[in-house]
């Protein structure tokens, strides 16, 4: 059993040394936080798309009464979309009972790149504890390898994703003491230990966090930093993101 962290998705697809490979994809700012919030607001499913055109085409194929189109480019809601990528736009009054066609610059791309894993979960600070508890309850055999994938930004390292990955490493390793940590997993764990008591301060000072503040999304940072605020475990089922029950 190994726990590895990929600091950018560029190393994907990643093969497992053992039998079962479990991926946890993280894009704290903001795709994985928004996915968690949308599902806990009662969205039925999220369909990730690589491009704005693909998301729009998928949206048009859905039944008008249950469809919702969300996502961003350069952090901004696209023309004709119901919402951008702010988790605060995915409250129950907007998305309960809806199927969301969703595209973001990095998060949905990382999800597609992780497709070779046997199972793909979506992680963020908001669902750290609940998702690790669920994942461990389902995948604790010695032949499992965990790969935590940081979505990064434009193919580059994102500090906040690495810190969140470290939170997953710490909890997974605590619950699965036989697991062997890679060097990136050990480094991410150190970063989490350094920042876990001031996640808002961390997110406000990363490159992506500063850009979101400039765009007027400071509230999204507080939402994304609210560790363990949601009991939700999103995973990819075929081409759809749904909530584990
Ligand atoms: O890249 C992504 O997937 C987004 O989360 C980026 S943004 O926060 O909407 O700018």
């Amino acid at each position: 059993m190994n726990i590895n962290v990929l600091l950018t998705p560029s190393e994907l697809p990643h093969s497992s040394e053992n039998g079962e490979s479990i991926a946890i994809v993280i894009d704290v700012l903001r795709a994985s936080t928004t996915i968690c919030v949308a599902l806990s607001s009662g969205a039925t499913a999220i369909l990730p798309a690589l491009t704005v055109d693909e998301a729009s085409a998928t949206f048009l194929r859905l039944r008008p009464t249950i469809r919702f189109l969300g996502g961003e480019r350069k952090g901004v809601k696209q023309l004709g979309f119901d919402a951008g990528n702010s988790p605060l736009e995915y409250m129950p009054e907007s998305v309960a009972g809806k199927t969301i066609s969703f595209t973001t610059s990095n998060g949905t791309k990382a999800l597609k790149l992780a497709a070779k894993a046997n199972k793909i979960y979506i992680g963020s600070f908001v669902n750290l504890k609940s998702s690790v508890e669920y994942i461990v309850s389902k995948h604790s055999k010695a032949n499992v390898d965990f790969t935590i994938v940081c979505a990064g930004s434009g193919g580059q390292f994102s500090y906040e994703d690495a810190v969140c990955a470290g939170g997953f490493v710490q909890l997974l390793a605590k619950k699965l003491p036989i697991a062997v940590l890679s060097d990136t997993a050990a480094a991410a764990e150190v970063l989490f230990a350094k920042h876990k008591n001031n996640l808002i301060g961390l997110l406000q000072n990363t490159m992506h966090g500063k850009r979101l503040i400039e765009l007027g999304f400071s509230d999204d940072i507080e939402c994304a930093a609210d560790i363990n605020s949601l009991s939700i475990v999103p995973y990819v089922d075929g081409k759809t993101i749904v909530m584990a029950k």
Side-chain angles (χ1 to χ4, degrees), residues 27 29-31 72 74-75 85 104-108 208 211-212:
D27 183 11
L29 296 176
R30 294 168 291 175
E72 59 66 45
K74 299 192 171 153
N85 189 23
T104 71
S105 309
N106 303 288
T108 51
H208 197 150
R211 190 169 60 83
L212 288 176

Side-chain angles (χ1 to χ4, degrees), residues 27-34 71-77 84-86 102-110 151-154 160 208 211-212 215 217 220:
D27 183 11
V28 172
L29 296 176
R30 294 168 291 175
S32 59
T33 302
T34 298
E72 59 66 45
R73 282 300 175 271
K74 299 192 171 153
V76 175
K77 174 178 153 181
N85 189 23
S86 166
F102 189 59
T103 183
T104 71
S105 309
N106 303 288
T108 51
K109 201 182 283 174
S153 194
E160 64 277 2
H208 197 150
R211 190 169 60 83
L212 288 176
L215 288 170
F217 293 117
D220 291 4

Side-chain angles (χ1 to χ4, degrees), residues 5 19-20 27 39 47-48 141-143 147 152 154 159 168 185 187 189 200 207 215 232 234:
V5 171
E20 191 184 17
D27 183 11
L39 289 174
L47 305 171
K141 294 203 184 115
N143 70 345
T147 304
Y159 201 152
F168 278 81
E189 196 180 2
I200 293 187
M207 284 178 71
L215 288 170
I232 181 119

Side-chain angles (χ1 to χ4, degrees), residues 77-215:
K77 174 178 153 181
Q78 296 296 285
L79 194 66
F81 275 43
D82 297 310
N85 189 23
S86 166
L88 305 177
E89 293 175 281
Y90 293 78
M91 292 293 125
E93 55 276 22
S94 306
V95 300
K98 298 279 171 74
T99 296
I100 301 172
S101 181
F102 189 59
T103 183
T104 71
S105 309
N106 303 288
T108 51
K109 201 182 283 174
L111 275 173
K112 299 269 178 187
L113 284 169
K116 282 249 160 68
N118 296 106
K119 193 98 182 178
I120 305 169
Y121 293 94
I122 289 112
S124 208
F125 287 120
V126 292
N127 72 334
L128 198 161
K129 187 162 174 274
S130 56
S131 49
V132 169
E133 279 169 0
Y134 181 89
I135 291 167
V136 169
S137 76
K138 296 286 173 194
H139 314 279
S140 57
K141 294 203 184 115
N143 70 345
V144 177
D145 281 339
F146 298 95
T147 304
I148 303 166
V149 182
C150 299
S153 194
Q156 305 287 314
F157 173 83
S158 275
Y159 201 152
E160 64 277 2
D161 290 344
V163 173
C164 186
F168 278 81
V169 172
Q170 189 200 67
L171 262 192
L172 281 169
K174 196 167 163 198
K175 290 179 182 293
L176 301 167
I178 62 161
V180 176
L181 306 195
S182 70
D183 282 354
T184 48
E189 196 180 2
V190 171
L191 286 181
F192 179 69
K194 178 174 164 62
H195 294 288
K196 66 180 180 187
N197 293 326
N198 185 14
L199 293 176
I200 293 187
L202 164 78
L203 297 186
Q204 284 170 336
N205 283 297
T206 64
M207 284 178 71
H208 197 150
K210 286 181 189 161
R211 190 169 60 83
L212 288 176
I213 291 168
E214 273 170 30
L215 288 170

